[in-house]
C-alpha cells in the first residue's frame, strides 16, 4: 500500500490529479489531513478542503488552528461555508466564533440558521472558563415512561445529529432524573420501561462550575460524557470526553507557561509573533530581575565579613543553586499534587512534615559529600567543611519548606499555584539562602 505522506499528497494536488487525491483523503483521519494542510500554501489548502465530503470537511475545520480557519473562511463562498457550518456541532461552532475577529464572526453567523444562532448566543453568555461555555446542547433525552423499543427508535431518528449516543439522559419536565447506556437498551427486552432500567444515581455538574473541575470529574470516573444542569436542576447540555481532554491540555499548557515564567498564550509557538513572545516573557523577567537586586543589597551588607574571609564568596553560587533546585523540586511536586486533586490545604502540616523529613535526609547527604570535597580542596580545613555542611542542611530544609508551602497558600487565597514555580521560587531562595548563609557563617567564625 502506498504511503500517504504530505509530500505525495501535495504532489497530486499540484499535478491536479484531484480524483486520486480525493480517494486518498477519504481514507485519512481529519487530524492527519490538518497536518498536511499545515505544510501547504493557502491556495493548496482551499483546493484540498473543497475535495472533502461535507461531514469530513466539518471535522477538519474543527481541528484547524484559528489562523488556518480564518484564511479558509475568507476563501470559501457563502454556500460552501454554510455547508460546513451545517455539519458542525454547536459547541465546536462556539469555539470557532470565540477565536475569530468580528468581521469573520459576522460571516459565520450568516452561514447558520436562526435556531443554531440562538443556541450559539446562549452558550456565549456563559463565563469563559465555565462548564456552560464548553457544553454541547445536542444530546439524547428520553422519558421514563418510554419502552426500550421506543427509545431505540428515537435514537435511530435523531442520533445522527448528536455528538454522542452512548449515554442517553432521562428527563421529566426538563429535570434530569436518570441515565441509560445504549448497551443496556440493546441487551434488555424491548417491552421494558426506561424507568425500570435507568440509573438514578447520575453524576452531573452545573453550568457555572469551573471547566477544569468538570474535566477532572470525567477523567476520575471514566465517563464518556457528563450532564450539565442549571440552577433549576434542568438538563441543558453535556460535556464530552473530547472536550474534557482539550480543557486539561489547555490547563496543562497554561500551568507549564506560568511555571516557566511566561504569560500564557492560546496561540501556537509559530503562530505567535516575535513581539508577542517578547511581551509574554519580558514582564516576568523584569520582575525577577528587580527581585534579585535584594540579594545584591544583602551581599553588600556582609562586605566586611567577605573581606576577612574572601573564600566565603566561592560557596555562594553553589548554595544558591542548591536551594533554588530544592525549592523547585518541592513546589513542582506540590503543584502537581494540587492539580490532580491529591493535595489540599487541609493537609498543610502533613505535607510540611513530609518535606522536612525529606530535606533532612537530602541535606545530610549533600553536606557529607560537600564537606569531603571542601576538606580535600581547601587544605583540610575541617572547620570550614563543618560550617558549610551545617549551612547546606539548613538551606535545604528551608528551601523544601518554602517550596511546599507557597503553592498551598497561593491556592488558599485563590491564586494559581503554578505561580509559585521555578523562577519565583529560585529568586526567593536566593535571598533567603544568602541571609541564612551569612547568619551561620558569621556566628560560626565570629566575624
Amino acid at each position: 500500500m502506498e504511503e500517504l505522506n504530505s509530500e505525495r499528497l501535495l504532489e497530486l494536488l499540484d499535478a491536479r490529479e484531484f480524483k486520486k487525491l480525493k480517494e486518498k483523503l477519504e481514507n485519512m483521519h481529519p487530524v492527519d489531513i490538518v497536518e498536511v494542510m499545515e505544510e501547504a500554501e493557502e491556495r493548496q489548502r482551499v483546493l484540498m478542503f473543497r475535495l472533502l465530503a461535507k461531514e469530513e470537511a466539518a471535522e477538519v475545520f474543527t481541528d484547524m488552528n484559528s489562523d488556518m480557519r480564518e484564511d479558509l473562511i475568507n476563501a470559501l463562498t457563502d454556500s460552501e461555508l454554510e455547508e460546513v457550518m451545517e455539519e458542525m456541532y454547536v459547541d465546536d461552532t462556539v469555539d470557532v466564533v470565540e477565536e475569530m475577529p468580528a468581521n469573520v464572526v459576522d460571516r459565520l453567523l450568516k452561514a447558520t440558521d436562526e435556531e443554531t444562532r440562538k443556541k450559539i448566543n446562549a452558550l456565549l453568555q456563559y463565563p469563559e472558563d465555565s462548564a456552560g461555555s464548553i457544553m454541547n446542547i445536542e444530546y439524547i433525552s428520553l422519558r421514563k415512561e418510554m419502552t426500550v423499543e421506543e427509545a431505540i427508535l428515537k435514537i435511530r431518528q435523531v442520533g445522527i445529529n448528536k455528538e454522542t449516543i452512548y449515554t442517553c439522559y432521562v428527563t421529566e419536565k426538563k429535570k434530569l432524573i436518570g441515565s441509560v447506556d445504549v448497551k443496556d437498551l440493546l441487551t434488555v427486552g424491548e417491552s421494558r420501561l426506561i424507568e425500570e432500567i435507568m440509573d438514578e444515581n447520575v453524576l452531573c455538574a452545573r453550568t457555572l462550575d469551573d471547566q477544569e473541575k468538570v474535566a477532572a470529574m470525567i477523567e476520575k470516573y471514566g465517563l464518556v460524557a457528563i450532564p450539565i444542569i442549571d440552577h433549576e436542576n434542568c438538563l441543558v447540555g453535556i460535556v464530552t470526553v473530547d472536550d474534557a481532554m482539550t480543557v486539561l491540555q489547555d490547563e496543562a499548557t497554561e500551568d507549564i507557561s506560568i511555571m516557566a515564567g511566561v504569560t500564557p498564550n492560546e496561540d501556537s509557538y509559530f503562530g505567535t509573533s516575535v513581539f508577542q513572545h517578547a511581551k509574554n516573557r519580558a514582564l516576568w523577567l523584569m520582575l525577577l530581575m528587580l527581585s534579585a537586586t535584594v540579594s545584591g543589597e544583602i551581599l553588600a551588607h556582609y562586605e566586611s565579613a567577605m573581606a576577612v574571609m574572601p573564600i566565603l564568596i566561592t560557596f555562594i553560587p553553589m548554595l544558591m543553586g542548591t536551594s533554588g533546585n530544592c525549592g523547585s523540586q518541592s513546589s513542582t511536586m506540590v503543584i502537581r499534587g494540587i492539580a490532580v486533586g491529591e493535595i489540599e490545604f487541609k493537609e498543610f502540616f502533613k505535607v510540611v512534615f513530609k518535606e522536612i523529613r525529606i530535606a533532612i535526609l537530602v541535606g545530610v547527604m549533600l553536606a557529607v559529600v560537600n564537606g569531603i570535597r571542601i576538606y580535600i580542596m581547601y587544605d583540610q580545613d575541617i572547620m570550614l567543611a563543618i560550617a558549610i555542611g551545617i549551612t547546606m542542611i539548613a538551606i535545604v530544609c528551608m528551601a523544601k519548606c518554602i517550596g511546599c508551602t507557597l503553592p498551598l497558600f497561593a491556592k488558599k487565597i485563590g491564586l494559581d499555584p503554578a505561580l509559585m514555580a521555578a523562577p519565583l521560587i529560585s529568586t526567593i531562595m536566593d535571598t533567603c539562602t544568602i541571609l541564612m548563609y551569612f547568619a551561620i557563617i558569621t556566628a560560626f567564625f565570629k566575624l
Side-chain angles (χ1 to χ4, degrees), residues 65-124:
N65 61 49
S66 57
D67 292 334
M68 288 177 64
R69 286 197 198 114
E70 186 175 351
D71 291 340
L72 198 59
I73 291 168
N74 292 329
L76 295 176
T77 65
D78 290 341
S79 58
E80 288 173 328
L81 188 57
E82 188 174 340
E83 287 182 354
V84 173
M85 300 304 289
E86 284 177 357
E87 297 297 327
M88 289 179 63
Y89 295 115
V90 176
D91 62 328
D92 292 330
T93 305
V94 170
D95 290 339
V96 173
V97 168
E98 288 180 327
E99 294 176 357
M100 295 293 108
N103 62 318
V104 178
V105 170
D106 288 340
R107 281 204 69 200
L108 287 174
L109 294 179
K110 286 177 182 177
T112 59
D113 56 66
E114 186 177 350
E115 183 182 352
T116 303
R117 281 199 295 272
K118 288 180 180 178
K119 293 176 180 178
I120 292 171
N121 290 330
L123 291 178
L124 288 173

Side-chain angles (χ1 to χ4, degrees), residues 315-328:
F315 300 111
I316 293 175
M318 176 196 66
L319 292 171
M320 289 171 61
T322 301
S323 67
N325 291 335
C326 288
S328 297

Side-chain angles (χ1 to χ4, degrees), residues 48 67 72 109 120 161 184 201 205 257 321 345 352 362 382 409 425 444:
M48 192 177 295
D67 292 334
L72 198 59
L109 294 179
I120 292 171
N161 299 318
D184 296 330
N201 185 24
S257 298
F345 187 79
V352 172
V362 171
I382 189 68
F409 280 124
I425 285 289
F444 197 87

Side-chain angles (χ1 to χ4, degrees), residues 141-145 170-177 234:
S141 175
L142 305 175
R143 301 189 311 275
K144 65 178 181 179
E145 61 270 17
V170 186
T171 58
E172 186 174 37
K173 296 180 180 179
K174 295 187 178 181
K175 286 183 167 51
L176 179 65
I177 60 173
C234 293

Side-chain angles (χ1 to χ4, degrees), residues 82-354:
E82 188 174 340
E83 287 182 354
V84 173
M85 300 304 289
E86 284 177 357
E87 297 297 327
M88 289 179 63
Y89 295 115
V90 176
D91 62 328
D92 292 330
T93 305
V94 170
D95 290 339
V96 173
V97 168
E98 288 180 327
E99 294 176 357
M100 295 293 108
N103 62 318
V104 178
V105 170
D106 288 340
R107 281 204 69 200
L108 287 174
L109 294 179
K110 286 177 182 177
T112 59
D113 56 66
E114 186 177 350
E115 183 182 352
T116 303
R117 281 199 295 272
K118 288 180 180 178
K119 293 176 180 178
I120 292 171
N121 290 330
L123 291 178
L124 288 173
Q125 291 175 1
Y126 291 106
E128 184 180 355
D129 294 325
S130 67
S133 67
I134 62 167
M135 71 181 180
N136 193 324
I137 56 177
E138 294 160 334
Y139 57 90
I140 293 181
S141 175
L142 305 175
R143 301 189 311 275
K144 65 178 181 179
E145 61 270 17
M146 275 182 168
T147 63
V148 170
E149 183 180 7
E150 290 172 335
I152 293 175
L153 180 61
K154 180 174 182 180
I155 293 172
R156 286 174 179 163
Q157 290 172 340
V158 303
I160 190 67
N161 299 318
K162 308 301 179 184
E163 187 163 357
T164 180
I165 63 170
Y166 301 114
T167 303
C168 304
Y169 301 96
V170 186
T171 58
E172 186 174 37
K173 296 180 180 179
K174 295 187 178 181
K175 286 183 167 51
L176 179 65
I177 60 173
S179 67
V180 180
D181 291 336
V182 170
K183 176 183 176 182
D184 296 330
L185 294 174
L186 296 176
T187 55
V188 299
E190 293 184 345
S191 61
R192 296 278 300 276
L193 294 176
I194 295 298
E195 186 178 14
E196 297 174 8
I197 63 171
M198 72 179 188
D199 182 5
E200 297 181 13
N201 185 24
V202 186
L203 282 169
C204 62
R206 296 191 177 275
T207 52
L208 298 180
D209 285 349
D210 188 275
Q211 61 183 20
E212 188 177 4
K213 173 187 172 184
V214 175
M217 288 178 66
I218 292 176
E219 180 186 34
K220 179 179 179 179
Y221 296 104
L223 303 175
V224 174
I226 188 169
I228 307 298
I229 59 175
D230 62 14
H231 64 283
E232 295 179 342
N233 294 327
C234 293
L235 179 62
V236 291
I238 60 173
V239 173
T240 54
V241 65
D242 58 323
D243 294 322
M245 289 174 63
T246 301
V247 169
L248 293 175
Q249 182 181 10
D250 290 344
E251 292 294 338
T253 301
E254 181 181 328
D255 286 347
I256 290 170
S257 298
I258 294 173
M259 290 172 72
V262 179
T263 303
N265 186 30
E266 293 183 0
D267 292 331
S268 64
Y269 177 82
F270 290 109
T272 304
S273 67
V274 172
F275 177 78
Q276 188 61 44
H277 272 302
K279 181 181 175 183
N280 291 342
R281 303 179 192 186
L283 182 62
W284 277 96
L285 291 173
M286 196 174 298
L287 177 65
L288 295 172
M289 178 188 71
L290 294 174
S291 300
T293 58
V294 178
S295 300
E297 292 299 319
I298 295 171
L299 285 173
H301 179 73
Y302 288 101
E303 188 176 353
S304 58
M306 288 186 286
V308 176
M309 291 185 67
I311 197 171
L312 295 177
I313 301 174
T314 62
F315 300 111
I316 293 175
M318 176 196 66
L319 292 171
M320 289 171 61
T322 301
S323 67
N325 291 335
C326 288
S328 297
Q329 284 180 340
S330 296
S331 66
T332 300
M333 295 304 295
V334 173
I335 290 168
R336 184 260 176 195
I338 293 172
V340 300
E342 183 182 339
I343 298 174
E344 297 180 7
F345 187 79
K346 63 182 180 182
E347 297 168 309
F348 179 89
F349 292 107
K350 186 177 179 181
V351 172
V352 172
F353 182 56
K354 190 177 188 71

Side-chain angles (χ1 to χ4, degrees), residues 331 334-335 338 402-412 417 420:
S331 66
V334 173
I335 290 168
I338 293 172
I402 293 176
C404 74
T405 56
L406 285 183
L408 288 168
F409 280 124
K411 180 69 174 178
K412 183 66 175 177
M420 305 301 169

